[in-house]
C-alpha cells in the first residue's frame, strides 16, 4: 500500500471512530455535464461529498481521484448509467435527464419555507400511467416508498387539490380499508380534510403531497428557485428517485438549472435512500399494496373502451431505440405508439424532461416524425 492510500485508509478509520458510521459507503454515479451553470457547479458538490459516498463521474473528467466514464449527450449518459447498474457497480445515479418508461416516475423533495421540513412531492418527473387518476394512486405508493427509505416509518399523506383529487382520495381510502398501511394528514385550513391547498404545501401539513407529475414538476421548480427569482435552483433535493413496481435502478433527477446546494442535497438524498435500502422498501410496499387490492383498484379507474380503442395492433419485432420525438400530449402517447406500430415500425413510449416521447431507431426518426404529423399527434 502506498503512502497516499495508507493515509486515506487512516483518515477513513478516524472518521469512523469519530462518527460511528459504517465504511460501507454507497456508490453513486453523478453526471457533471450539460448543466446550464457549468461543470464546476456539479464538481463542487461531488468534492463536498466524496467522504460520504463512492462517487463515479459520468461526463467530463474532473480529477484522477474519481472513477470516470465519458459521455457527451443524454443518450450516451443513459447508456453509461444503464451499464453501471447492470454491472452492479452503483447503488444509484444522479443526473439531469433519463428516459424512464411509462410506469416509472420520480418523487421530489422540497424544503418547506414555513418550518424547514422536508416534503416529498409525489411525483415530479416521468409518469406512472397515462390515466391521471391511476397515476396519482401509484404516486401515493411511490411517495410512501421514498419517505420510508429515508427514515420516516409512518409518513403522512395529503392530496393536492387538482383534477381527480376526490377520486384519488376515495381510492386511497379503499386501499387503506383493505389493510394497506396509509396515514392521511389534515389540511391546516379551517375546513380540514385530506385535500390540500397551496397553504398546506408552504406549511408542510404532511410528509407527502400527492399530485400528477406535471403539477409536481412545477411545484418542485417553484420551491427550488423562488429565492433566485427563478433563474436557478437553490434549495431542495431535486426531482428524486425513479420508482415503479419491478424497477430497481434508482435514478435521481436534477435540473440543468440546479445549483450546487441542490446537487449536493440530491446526492445526499440518493445516499440516504441507498442506506435505507429503497429497492427492498419498494418490493415490500408494492407487495402490501397488491395484497390490499391495488391492481383491482387501478382497474376500476379504467374508462370503458369502444371497439376502436380495443383494436389489436401487431407489435413489430423489437429493436434498439435511440432517438426520441416529443411534443405529444400525455393522453395520446399510447395511441401515437399504436399508429407507428400499424406502419410496421417498432417504437416505445418514455418520459423526457418536458413530457412524453416516442422512442424509435435513429434511422427511422424522420419517417416516424412524418407518420405522427400526418396523424396530427405533432405539428
Amino acid at each position: 500500500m502506498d503512502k497516499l492510500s495508507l493515509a486515506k485508509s487512516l483518515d477513513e478509520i478516524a472518521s469512523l471512530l469519530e462518527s460511528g458510521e459504517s465504511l460501507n459507503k454507497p456508490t453513486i454515479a453523478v453526471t457533471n455535464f450539460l448543466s446550464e451553470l457549468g461543470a464546476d457547479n456539479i464538481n463542487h458538490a461531488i468534492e463536498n461529498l466524496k467522504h460520504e459516498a463512492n462517487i463515479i463521474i459520468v461526463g467530463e473528467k474532473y480529477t484522477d481521484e474519481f472513477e470516470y466514464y465519458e459521455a457527451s449527450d443524454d443518450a450516451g449518459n443513459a447508456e453509461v448509467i444503464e451499464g453501471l447498474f447492470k454491472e452492479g457497480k452503483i447503488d444509484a445515479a444522479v443526473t439531469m435527464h433519463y428516459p424512464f418508461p411509462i410506469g416509472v416516475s420520480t418523487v421530489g423533495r422540497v424544503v418547506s419555507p414555513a418550518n424547514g421540513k422536508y416534503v416529498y412531492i409525489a411525483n415530479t418527473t416521468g409518469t406512472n400511467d397515462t390515466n391521471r387518476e391511476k397515476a396519482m394512486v401509484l404516486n401515493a405508493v411511490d411517495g410512501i416508498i421514498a419517505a420510508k427509505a429515508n427514515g420516516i416509518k409512518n409518513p403522512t399523506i395529503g392530496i393536492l387539490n387538482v383534477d381527480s383529487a376526490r377520486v384519488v382520495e376515495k381510492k386511497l381510502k379503499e386501499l387503506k380499508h383493505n389493510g394497506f398501511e396509509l396515514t392521511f394528514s389534515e389540511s391546516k385550513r379551517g375546513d380540514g380534510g385530506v385535500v390540500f391547498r397551496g397553504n398546506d404545501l408552504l406549511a408542510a401539513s404532511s410528509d407527502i403531497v400527492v399530485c400528477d407529475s406535471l403539477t409536481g414538476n412545477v411545484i418542485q421548480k417553484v420551491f427550488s428557485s423562488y429565492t433566485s427569482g427563478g433563474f436557478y435552483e437553490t434549495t431542495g433535493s431535486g426531482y428524486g428517485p425513479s420508482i415503479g413496481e419491478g424497477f430497481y435502478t434508482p435514478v435521481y433527477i436534477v435540473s440543468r438549472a440546479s445549483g450546487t446546494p441542490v446537487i449536493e442535497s440530491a446526492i445526499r438524498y440518493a445516499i440516504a435512500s441507498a442506506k435505507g435500502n429503497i429497492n427492498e422498501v419498494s418490493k415490500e410496499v408494492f407487495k402490501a399494496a397488491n395484497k390490499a387490492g391495488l391492481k383491482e383498484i387501478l382497474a376500476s379507474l379504467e374508462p370503458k373502451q369502444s371497439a376502436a380503442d380495443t383494436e389489436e395492433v401487431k407489435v413489430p419485432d423489437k429493436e434498439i431505440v435511440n432517438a426520441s420525438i416529443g411534443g405529444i400530449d400525455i393522453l395520446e402517447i399510447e395511441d401515437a405508439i399504436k399508429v407507428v406500430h400499424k406502419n410496421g415500425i417498432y417504437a416505445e413510449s418514455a418520459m423526457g424532461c418536458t413530457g412524453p416521447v416516442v422512442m424509435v431507431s435513429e434511422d427511422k426518426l424522420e419517417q416516424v416524425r412524418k407518420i405522427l404529423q400526418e396523424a396530427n399527434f405533432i405539428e
Side-chain angles (χ1 to χ4, degrees), residues 3 15 28 40 42 64 79 88 126 129 192 217 235 276 278-279 281 303 318 332 365 372:
K3 290 182 179 180
S15 177
I28 314 293
D40 283 345
I42 301 169
D64 290 334
E79 184 177 351
D129 199 281
N217 190 274
T235 65
I278 189 169
N279 288 338
V281 172
K318 186 177 177 68
E332 297 182 336
L365 181 63
L372 294 175

Side-chain angles (χ1 to χ4, degrees), residues 16-324:
L16 170 65
L17 293 172
E18 182 179 350
S19 66
E21 293 184 358
S22 170
L23 289 176
N24 294 324
K25 298 182 292 187
T27 300
I28 314 293
V30 180
T31 59
N32 70 343
F33 70 110
L34 297 180
S35 168
E36 294 176 7
L37 306 177
D40 283 345
N41 171 64
I42 301 169
N43 291 336
H44 289 155
I46 291 170
E47 188 70 38
N48 291 340
L49 294 176
K50 64 184 180 182
H51 296 302
E52 297 183 32
N54 301 310
I55 296 179
I56 294 175
I57 292 176
V58 178
E60 303 174 2
K61 185 173 182 179
Y62 175 41
T63 70
D64 290 334
E65 183 177 2
F66 299 94
E67 187 175 350
Y68 153 75
Y69 293 82
E70 184 176 3
S72 58
D73 56 25
D74 288 331
N77 170 59
E79 184 177 351
V80 170
I81 289 174
E82 185 178 351
L84 290 172
F85 274 122
K86 283 183 177 178
E87 292 174 26
K89 295 193 70 170
I90 59 175
D91 299 295
V94 176
T95 187
M96 283 161 278
H97 174 79
Y98 200 83
F100 301 121
I102 302 294
V104 175
S105 55
T106 67
V107 180
R109 192 169 72 173
V110 300
V111 177
S112 160
N115 52 24
K117 177 184 173 183
Y118 279 135
V119 179
Y120 293 82
I121 307 298
N123 286 3
T124 56
T125 66
T127 184
N128 274 320
D129 199 281
T130 54
N131 178 306
R132 177 198 286 260
E133 295 163 354
K134 290 172 66 177
M136 286 176 64
V137 170
L138 288 166
N139 289 355
V141 176
D142 289 354
I144 290 170
I145 291 166
K148 280 181 173 287
N150 281 266
I152 304 176
K153 292 182 179 180
N154 189 25
T156 57
I157 282 184
I159 304 167
L160 194 64
N161 191 19
V162 295
D163 288 347
S164 304
R166 293 297 180 185
V167 174
V168 172
E169 176 187 4
K170 179 181 177 182
K171 294 302 177 180
L172 288 178
K173 286 183 174 178
E174 186 178 333
L175 193 65
K176 178 181 173 71
H177 176 76
N178 291 348
F180 183 68
E181 186 179 355
L182 195 158
T183 303
F184 291 107
S185 188
E186 284 278 325
S187 170
K188 293 188 182 300
R189 295 296 297 274
D191 51 356
V194 69
V195 175
F196 280 14
R197 287 31 174 289
N199 315 62
D200 293 300
L201 280 168
L202 297 171
S205 298
S206 65
D207 297 308
I208 302 163
V209 173
V210 177
C211 55
D212 62 282
S213 58
L214 294 179
T215 301
N217 190 274
V218 172
I219 291 170
Q220 188 74 36
K221 291 184 186 302
V222 171
F223 270 71
S224 299
S225 62
Y226 72 93
T227 59
S228 72
F231 291 103
Y232 59 93
E233 297 178 358
T234 60
T235 65
S237 306
Y239 301 75
S242 51
I243 301 174
E245 187 170 9
F247 190 86
Y248 304 124
T249 52
V251 177
Y252 293 69
I253 298 298
V254 290
S255 168
R256 300 188 200 278
S258 293
T260 299
V262 175
I263 302 294
E264 193 169 320
S265 188
I267 297 172
R268 282 203 168 97
Y269 190 6
I271 292 170
S273 299
K275 289 182 176 180
N277 210 341
I278 189 169
N279 288 338
E280 286 304 314
V281 172
S282 181
K283 291 175 186 177
E284 291 169 5
V285 171
F286 270 109
K287 181 179 179 181
N290 287 329
K291 186 177 179 181
L294 175 63
K295 294 287 195 298
E296 292 76 13
I297 288 171
L298 294 175
S300 72
L301 292 168
E302 284 283 359
K304 293 182 179 179
Q305 295 181 315
S306 66
D309 292 330
T310 57
E311 177 189 2
E312 288 190 15
V313 176
K314 182 180 178 182
V315 179
D317 292 340
K318 186 177 177 68
E319 59 184 38
I320 294 174
V321 291
N322 52 8
S324 63

Side-chain angles (χ1 to χ4, degrees), residues 332 371-379:
E332 297 182 336
I371 290 169
L372 294 175
Q373 287 172 338
E374 291 176 350
N376 295 317
F377 287 108
I378 59 175
E379 296 181 356

